[in-house]
Amino acid sequence: MLCVLDYGSQYTQLIARRLRGQGFFTEVLPGRLSATEVAQHKPDGIILSGSPRSVGSDQDPDPALLSLGVPVLGLCFGYQFMAQHLGGRVEPSTHREYGSATVNKTLAGKTDPLTARLSMTTPVWMSHGDSVVELPPGADLILQSAGKPAGFALRSRRLWGLQFHPEVYHTPEGKLLLEAFARDICRLTPDWNLRAELSEIKAKLAAQLHGVGEVVCAVSGGVDSTVLAVLLSQVCKVRALFVDHGFLRAYDLLNLKRVFQNFPNISLEVVDAQARFWAALDGISDPEQKRLIIGRLFVKTFADHVGEKHFTHLAQGTIYSDVIESAAAVHGGAAHIKSHHNVGGFPQDARVQLVEPLRPFFKDEVRELGVLLGIDSEILHQHPFPGPGLAIRCVGELRRDRVDILRRADAIFYEELVRRDMYLRTWQAFVALLPVRTVGVMGDQRSYEHALAIRAVSSVDAMTADVTEFSLAELLPIAARLINEVRGINRVVYDLTTKPPGTIEWE
Ligand code: XMP
């Protein structure tokens, strides 16, 4: 097994994901762990990630990691840390190097196990403000870029470092480097795959749930909870609760019913809690208040509903990024932007056992498991939809008439995206109803109606996002249809904000 130690680079998860994709099981661990703690995971190899920080803060890696006798590969910050700690010299670059660069293999690089199979010259992705200007004593220069060091090897101590990011798509030969590290240096066999993993999870679940009549889980129609319910249904009966808080899209429940009808072990219970949620939310405008009320009521509604009947096992669709991110949020002191409400955080009762079979998997692995389980790919490739639903897309005051307008607009927008083959060309797209009314002319009449924003973004992990570049020719007929068919809307705008500085949702 390989361990990636996370020092806060935006690419950390990608390193693990790439290696797993190549058949090498990889875990992400918090960078604050000591070498002794890391050793308890019995890694066959360690990768030190990049970081937004420079070497020399109190959050540097534990230097003892370099003496565990296990091969270590440092990337970017990890590389600079290794160079500095081993007696080399790191200096701030005169300018921040961010983007594509070219590296050349040196004579030593031609025979080094990490770089032997790399082309003599290859494009790579750099993102750093500091550079190694002097290699550690005894280290071989294996790669250079514009005459400066870009990679070294200290083979006697089984240590390697690269200035750039082999894990990103913009480093086309990065795959070769990661593979060489895992296979040729750490001596691992690429035998990890999801199909084998699925049989193992099922066997584990069957043992954990032996003799259990039924497992309860909350389903939202999203990818994780759908895969969770279907997976569980392969080993026991599943009581799947769907709480309708009144801020769902027109098609959420229909889609879920369609998927579950193929899995007879799942009994879907719809809890109509719209009146309860509206009683608490009517007239509320503040986004954080909306989230808190919905989160709290959701847990209460769920607990009230399942509480009517005795249950012993509660399944949650926690996935690997949730596990890593909550560790990062606890230890990394991340700024509080939004109180995301997800299904989870139910009051824990010691008599209720939690079942979380998706914990080890990344989102795209959960999708692949879904395919292996025979779930419709349309559901598996749907865009993310926030727990508070349309409540945070009805920007400003929550009123039933406004949410109804938004729901109608959302249904049309979704239909058009699918019909025009635009849905899968964007990572997430939706409409938000704005708290502004604008003047228009419809027929010969003056109109004074709501404005609607179209938001479409491309992203990998929702941490950063670019605006999806749909053409005007594609957007104009959609806007026209929205204005013509949704009474109450007379203006449509396209949101041109990236994240950062914006967030993906408007609230
Ligand atoms: P932001 O708006 O923070 O969104 O850039 C990032 C991603 O998270 C989704 N999102 C939420 N998901 N509960 C959720 O379950 C929430 O409260 C919430 N707020 C935002 C958003 O749709 C995007 O995919």
Side-chain angles (χ1 to χ4, degrees):
M1 188 252 283
L2 294 170
C3 287
V4 178
L5 291 184
D6 179 15
Y7 299 101
S9 157
Q10 55 176 328
Y11 302 128
T12 302
Q13 292 194 30
L14 204 53
I15 307 172
R17 186 61 201 99
R18 287 275 176 275
L19 282 159
R20 285 185 184 195
Q22 290 177 256
F24 303 103
F25 184 66
T26 306
E27 285 227 67
V28 178
L29 300 177
R32 72 190 148 79
L33 292 192
S34 69
T36 317
E37 287 165 318
V38 173
Q40 282 162 7
H41 291 258
K42 301 200 176 4
D44 297 291
I46 294 172
I47 297 178
L48 309 179
S49 83
S51 169
R53 290 180 294 272
S54 293
V55 175
S57 82
D58 58 356
Q59 291 176 57
D60 273 5
D62 178 354
L65 285 166
L66 307 184
S67 307
L68 287 176
V70 173
V72 181
L73 173 64
L75 302 179
C76 200
F77 163 84
Y79 154 84
Q80 292 150 15
F81 162 77
M82 283 166 85
Q84 169 119 332
H85 183 75
L86 296 164
R89 204 152 54 82
V90 177
E91 279 183 358
S93 310
T94 41
H95 63 283
R96 205 179 150 75
E97 203 173 353
Y98 184 85
S100 242
T102 303
V103 296
N104 304 306
K105 211 152 64 161
T106 62
L107 203 58
K110 281 189 192 170
T111 52
D112 189 89
L114 187 68
T115 43
R117 289 194 299 130
L118 212 63
S119 305
M120 283 306 289
T121 299
T122 187
V124 299
W125 184 257
M126 298 273 191
S127 166
H128 63 105
D130 299 333
S131 298
V132 173
V133 291
E134 207 177 296
L135 293 189
D140 289 321
L141 180 69
I142 52 175
L143 294 170
Q144 51 188 0
S145 174
K148 285 187 273 176
F152 71 79
L154 191 57
R155 282 172 70 175
S156 56
R157 291 189 58 187
R158 308 178 81 200
L159 305 175
W160 282 261
L162 299 172
Q163 173 70 85
F164 54 92
H165 291 276
E167 67 277 18
V168 303
Y169 284 111
H170 302 78
T171 303
E173 292 196 51
K175 197 169 178 275
L176 290 179
L177 290 164
L178 293 176
E179 188 185 36
F181 181 67
R183 202 186 54 185
D184 305 331
I185 294 176
C186 302
R187 303 256 161 243
L188 291 169
T189 316
D191 54 6
W192 189 82
N193 70 69
L194 277 173
R195 192 176 288 279
E197 206 57 20
L198 180 58
S199 322
E200 215 167 286
I201 315 167
K202 279 196 206 164
K204 272 194 210 146
L205 274 178
Q208 184 184 5
L209 301 174
H210 180 68
V212 172
E214 179 182 74
V215 173
V216 174
C217 70
V219 288
S220 63
V223 177
D224 304 340
S225 62
T226 306
V227 172
L228 173 73
V230 171
L231 172 61
L232 290 166
S233 78
Q234 316 279 295
V235 297
C236 68
K237 290 213 170 303
V238 179
R239 189 173 162 216
L241 285 183
F242 180 87
V243 174
D244 182 351
H245 52 31
F247 301 99
L248 298 168
R249 295 164 297 185
Y251 42 88
D252 281 321
L253 188 54
L254 289 176
N255 284 349
L256 196 62
K257 282 186 174 160
R258 190 166 45 77
V259 172
F260 284 174
Q261 75 190 7
N262 299 324
F263 300 97
N265 255 354
I266 303 178
S267 76
L268 178 63
E269 277 177 48
V270 180
V271 185
D272 181 355
Q274 296 192 37
R276 187 178 194 178
F277 278 82
W278 269 113
L281 287 156
D282 211 349
I284 299 287
S285 303
D286 179 72
E288 276 302 274
Q289 232 187 322
K290 290 181 186 175
R291 276 198 174 75
L292 291 180
I293 295 173
I294 293 177
R296 218 176 284 142
L297 268 186
F298 192 95
V299 172
K300 232 165 160 299
T301 307
F302 184 89
D304 287 355
H305 197 80
V306 290
E308 291 162 10
K309 217 166 113 186
H310 176 68
F311 75 105
T312 55
H313 288 73
L314 176 69
Q316 290 197 149
T318 317
I319 68 169
Y320 200 46
S321 37
D322 302 333
V323 178
I324 301 173
E325 270 154 29
S326 44
V330 171
H331 303 289
H336 180 83
I337 312 284
K338 295 180 186 181
S339 314
H340 279 206
H341 145 66
N342 281 315
V343 178
F346 293 114
Q348 295 295 309
D349 177 334
R351 288 163 306 173
V352 174
Q353 244 192 63
L354 274 189
V355 185
E356 297 183 300
L358 301 179
R359 251 181 117 81
F361 302 106
F362 286 112
K363 188 81 176 188
D364 49 346
E365 293 172 336
V366 173
R367 283 203 182 96
E368 276 176 64
L369 287 175
V371 173
L372 294 172
L373 289 164
I375 301 173
D376 198 86
S377 83
E378 204 180 306
I379 288 280
L380 296 173
H381 290 96
Q382 63 183 308
H383 295 169
F385 183 59
L390 298 181
I392 55 164
R393 292 183 179 169
C394 179
V395 182
E397 190 186 359
L398 285 176
R399 282 200 333 251
R400 280 174 197 259
D401 57 329
R402 297 188 71 227
V403 174
D404 287 343
I405 292 174
L406 176 59
R407 189 178 288 113
R408 283 199 294 278
D410 171 85
I412 290 176
F413 184 61
Y414 174 67
E415 191 186 307
E416 286 293 323
L417 286 183
V418 173
R419 195 168 71 83
R420 294 171 185 274
D421 291 330
M422 294 160 76
Y423 190 80
L424 294 178
R425 283 164 42 211
T426 183
W427 188 80
Q428 187 174 14
F430 57 88
V431 286
L433 189 73
L434 305 185
V436 237
R437 295 215 286 162
T438 75
V439 173
V441 47
M442 285 173 119
D444 286 333
Q445 299 285 325
R446 172 187 194 266
S447 69
Y448 187 52
E449 307 283 12
H450 293 94
L452 185 81
I454 294 180
R455 178 85 165 130
V457 293
S458 309
S459 177
V460 176
D461 52 11
M463 303 298 285
T464 59
D466 289 319
V467 177
T468 302
E469 293 190 30
F470 285 137
S471 70
L472 267 187
E474 290 173 306
L475 292 168
L476 287 174
I478 301 181
R481 196 179 156 204
L482 287 166
I483 293 171
N484 286 332
E485 292 186 28
V486 185
R487 190 173 288 187
I489 290 174
N490 71 351
R491 190 174 297 264
V492 172
V493 297
Y494 193 57
D495 183 347
L496 298 174
T497 322
T498 56
K499 174 180 181 176
T503 53
I504 295 176
E505 301 290 344
W506 276 54
E507 290 199 327

